[in-house]
Amino acid sequence: AQSVTQPDIHITVSEGASLELRCNYSYGATPYLFWYVQSPGQGLQLLLKYFSGDTLVQGIKGFEAEFKRSQSSFNLRKPSVHWSDAAEYFCAVADNNAGNMLTFGGGTRLMVKP
Amino acid sequence: DTGVSQDPRHKITKRGQNVTFRCDPISEHNRLYWYRQTLGQGPEFLTYFQNEAQLEKSRLLSDRFSAERPKGSFSTLEIQRTEQGDSAMYLCASGIWGREDPLAYEQYFGPGTRLTVT
């Protein structure tokens, strides 16, 4: 069965500092990977996705993620964090044999210090 | 805005009561998904529809949970005889399925319905 692990439950960074959120997945075939962001009281917003091709993918709000098959990782990065980035971030993998259902990690809560 | 909408946004109910939630997907989307999110966890898949057909329901948490999408547009999720453990956020998402469609794997989420069972 597929699974997603986000090792960091909470991360605090200073505004303007760089950010990396870790994601490790387990999936038998070529994974389709996603990062979503959830602000308090809001639904999930898609930041970026990886299906195939270039392993460095760009998303919205200045985020990028790098797929590393050898490490089963799909880490999210941002070079300079803004206070408005404070939110919960979820990594997910799609099961394309089961209607593309998403399996999510437990999430990483990002706090931004002024 | 033609995003995914859910109603109600909040529901407080007493244990043993039945509740029903509604999801209106993005209009051209033929797939609709339901997820449950408990506090401090990532969303957990429950079921999904392609048009009006429910193609996966083995992940529904118990036989107290059921979902419908009668005309292939909006969907309802019903929980019968609610228990305190059902307290959670229930999320709906919609997407497009087409074998050659590059957007086929994207899911767009609604704001969720937060259920509190007292």
Side-chain angles (χ1 to χ4, degrees):
Chain A
Q2 62 203 52
S3 64
V4 176
T5 302
Q6 294 180 245
D8 305 304
I9 298 174
H10 298 278
I11 282 186
T12 300
V13 300
S14 297
E15 191 168 17
S18 63
L19 171 70
E20 182 169 28
L21 302 182
R22 295 184 291 163
C23 171
N24 293 98
Y25 68 90
S26 172
Y27 187 66
T30 301
Y32 293 179
L33 296 159
F34 304 82
W35 276 98
Y36 283 86
V37 61
Q38 186 176 38
S39 299
Q42 304 295 315
L44 292 100
Q45 181 182 22
L46 180 64
L47 285 176
L48 49 77
K49 61 187 183 288
Y50 171 78
F51 291 162
S52 63
D54 194 346
T55 56
L56 184 63
V57 294
Q58 304 297 319
I60 62 171
K61 305 185 180 187
F63 286 93
E64 66 179 26
E66 185 171 14
F67 170 63
K68 293 185 177 179
R69 184 184 297 275
S70 61
Q71 299 177 18
S72 298
S73 69
F74 188 55
N75 293 349
L76 182 71
R77 300 194 294 246
K78 186 170 185 178
S80 178
V81 168
H82 188 261
W83 63 267
S84 60
D85 293 325
E88 185 128 28
Y89 291 80
F90 293 96
C91 181
V93 63
D95 186 344
N96 50 21
N97 292 318
N100 306 334
M101 57 164 273
L102 295 174
T103 298
F104 287 86
T108 298
R109 178 162 296 280
L110 173 66
M111 290 172 279
V112 181
K113 292 189 300 186
Chain B
D1 180 75
T2 56
V4 179
S5 61
Q6 293 186 245
D7 184 68
R9 294 290 305 275
H10 303 273
K11 177 71 176 179
I12 300 173
T13 192
K14 294 185 187 303
R15 188 177 53 184
Q17 297 295 303
N18 299 343
V19 294
T20 299
F21 310 139
R22 176 180 171 124
C23 171
D24 286 89
I26 295 171
S27 59
E28 63 268 29
H29 285 183
N30 53 9
R31 281 208 171 162
L32 187 148
Y33 303 81
W34 285 99
Y35 293 82
R36 184 181 79 156
Q37 185 178 20
T38 53
L39 204 59
Q41 302 296 317
E44 172 188 16
F45 171 80
L46 296 177
T47 188
Y48 86 99
F49 294 85
Q50 182 160 318
N51 300 311
E52 65 275 9
Q54 189 174 14
L55 298 185
E56 171 60 64
K57 54 183 179 181
S58 66
R59 309 292 184 106
L60 286 168
L61 300 162
S62 79
D63 58 8
R64 297 184 296 106
F65 287 71
S66 62
E68 292 184 340
R69 193 183 185 197
K71 297 182 180 179
S73 56
F74 73 91
S75 175
T76 57
L77 178 70
E78 181 181 17
I79 309 174
Q80 296 183 328
R81 305 181 302 282
T82 53
E83 301 173 356
Q84 287 188 319
D86 297 332
S87 296
M89 176 80 85
Y90 291 85
L91 294 165
C92 174
S94 70
I96 295 172
W97 173 248
R99 197 166 299 278
E100 302 301 323
D101 193 323
L103 300 179
Y105 293 91
E106 294 189 11
Q107 294 182 26
Y108 298 86
F109 283 81
T113 295
R114 182 167 294 284
L115 173 66
T116 302
V117 182
T118 62

